[in-house]
Amino acid sequence: MRQFDLPDLVVQRASRNGSVGLRWLTELPQVVGELSDRWGLVLGAAYVAGTSGFVVAATDATNRACVLKMAMPLDRMWQTLGEPCERAVIDRALVLCDRRADAFNPERAVLVHGDAHGWNTLDAGGGTYKFVDVEGLCSEREHDLAVAMREYNEPLLDGDTPRLVRDRARLLADRCTVDPEVVWEWGFIERVSTGLSNEANFDNDNGTSFLEVARRCL
């Protein structure tokens, strides 16, 4: 694995960006090495003026001068919003994102709606209903139950929240013949992302309840 010196400000910013930044720092040498091999790059000196990524001069296989830039992933709005929940909530959601990505199996994947909630359901008559506003992506079957998992925050907050959320995951999984643990994980991811989005885009406290349910489920 190739080693190189990172500018101090880049290291500081990544270190302050929680598990996302630390993972970026840890995996950076391997990723840079793999890309260099793929594109036949010979790396030169790193640029030191930036703070949000690793930028290094290089030459390619034809001896053409170029630049390799590895952007630093930033947390999903958490810091910008003034840290509206414990850092542990964000870290858990990111761990679960990685887990679901690692478990992805193209042979098992299906086309999911992506945002299957009540407002995207229309009465088609004759006792049938149709989903609209389809986002459409290939994913696990459990993924589409994430939206159903994220709803009904107030009843969940009024009782034994962790147990009630697990009960809901089992209920949905049983009706759809899927894995309740995977339903729970997708629900946690969706709950955190929706909570942050609502905090960023709406003036009510709706996002807070999403994030509080997630916190209680840690």
Side-chain angles (χ1 to χ4, degrees):
M1 184 182 300
R2 298 183 177 117
Q3 299 296 325
F4 41 79
D5 293 327
L6 282 171
D8 289 341
L9 291 178
V10 173
V11 175
Q12 291 175 24
R13 185 169 188 179
S15 299
R16 293 170 182 171
N17 199 28
S19 62
V20 176
L22 293 175
R23 176 178 176 180
W24 181 80
L25 283 175
T26 301
E27 297 181 351
L28 185 62
Q30 178 179 344
V31 174
V32 170
E34 291 174 353
L35 293 178
S36 298
D37 291 341
R38 181 185 304 174
W39 296 326
L41 300 179
V42 177
L43 301 183
Y47 294 94
V48 297
T51 63
S52 60
F54 174 64
V55 186
V56 59
T59 55
D60 65 12
T62 65
N63 207 36
R64 179 184 58 174
C66 56
V67 170
L68 176 65
K69 180 176 181 180
M70 301 297 299
M72 183 190 306
L74 300 178
D75 272 338
R76 314 147 125 178
M77 302 182 287
W78 181 71
Q79 292 176 321
T80 303
L81 293 171
E83 303 179 6
C85 62
E86 295 179 11
R87 176 71 216 188
V89 172
I90 304 300
D91 287 342
R92 183 66 181 279
L94 292 172
V95 167
L96 294 177
C97 285
D98 286 341
R99 185 179 299 172
R100 298 316 333 141
D102 291 341
F104 179 73
N105 181 354
E107 295 181 358
R108 184 177 179 270
V110 297
L111 180 63
V112 300
H113 181 283
D115 195 20
H117 58 72
W119 291 350
N120 280 341
T121 309
L122 297 182
D123 187 346
T128 61
Y129 298 85
K130 293 184 178 180
F131 278 126
V132 296
D133 196 16
V134 178
E135 294 183 358
L137 66 156
C138 288
S139 186
E140 300 173 295
R141 293 174 61 205
E142 292 88 349
H143 190 164
D144 251 352
L145 297 174
V147 176
M149 280 293 296
R150 82 179 182 203
E151 306 295 333
Y152 312 109
N153 292 311
E154 297 309 320
L156 297 174
L157 291 171
D158 285 341
D160 182 348
T161 304
R163 179 184 61 79
L164 292 172
V165 174
R166 290 285 182 182
D167 287 347
R168 184 161 183 78
R170 283 191 290 270
L171 173 67
L172 293 171
D174 288 345
R175 293 194 173 187
C176 299
T177 319
V178 293
D179 186 338
E181 182 64 22
V182 178
V183 173
W184 187 94
E185 291 183 1
W186 276 116
F188 191 96
I189 294 168
E190 180 68 27
R191 186 177 298 284
V192 173
S193 63
T194 300
L196 292 176
S197 178
N198 286 1
E199 285 286 294
N201 297 306
F202 302 108
D203 293 330
N204 53 40
D205 63 353
N206 185 258
T208 303
S209 61
F210 282 91
L211 297 174
E212 175 59 18
V213 172
R215 185 194 67 80
R216 295 189 188 185
C217 290
L218 288 175

